[in-house]
Amino acid sequence: MRHIYLADGVRLRFPKRSEEFDLGVEIGIIAAQMEMGLREFTRRIFADNLDQVRALAEKMSYRFVYEPLEDGWLEVTFLYGQARPALKLVHSAS
C-alpha cells in the first residue's frame, strides 16, 4: 500500500487495493488537472507511472519536467502548450 499525493500535506491511501489501482488513481488525478486547462501544475507520482504520464501529456498538449525523489518517487511539473524559443541578443563586432 502506498500513499497518493493529492496536494501539499494531503495524501490518500487505499489499504485493500492493488498497486495498479494506486497507479490508476494517480493518472486520473493528473488527467483531471489537465482537463481543467491549468497552465502549470506539479504532482508527486510514483516512477512506475512515468510512461503513462508521458503518453497522456503528449495527447493533452502538455510537456513536463521531472526530478527524482526518494524511494521511487518523482516530482513532475506539467506545462501547457509549446515552449517559447529563448531569444538572445547578439552583438556584431565591427
Side-chain angles (χ1 to χ4, degrees):
M1 175 183 52
R2 199 172 64 229
H3 287 172
I4 297 167
Y5 288 84
L6 188 57
D8 286 340
V10 180
R11 299 179 297 178
L12 302 172
R13 63 183 184 157
F14 300 93
K16 298 190 189 258
R17 298 293 183 155
S18 67
E19 182 176 332
E20 289 81 22
F21 180 83
D22 293 343
L23 294 175
V25 170
E26 283 182 349
I27 289 297
I29 292 169
I30 292 168
Q33 288 184 299
M34 287 179 176
E35 183 61 28
M36 287 190 302
L38 299 175
R39 304 283 301 154
E40 180 177 334
F41 64 95
T42 301
R43 300 281 317 147
R44 189 175 189 183
I45 66 166
F46 201 63
D48 289 353
N49 251 344
L50 189 58
D51 288 338
Q52 200 165 5
V53 162
R54 183 175 283 116
L56 180 62
E58 183 178 305
K59 296 239 186 250
M60 300 288 287
S61 300
Y62 277 85
R63 55 195 163 81
F64 66 90
V65 293
Y66 65 91
E67 179 180 335
L69 301 173
E70 71 285 343
D71 299 328
W73 289 96
L74 303 172
E75 184 170 84
V76 184
T77 300
F78 296 90
L79 305 156
Y80 183 74
Q82 298 294 322
R84 293 185 177 165
L87 302 176
K88 295 180 184 179
L89 180 61
V90 179
H91 295 282
S92 61
S94 47

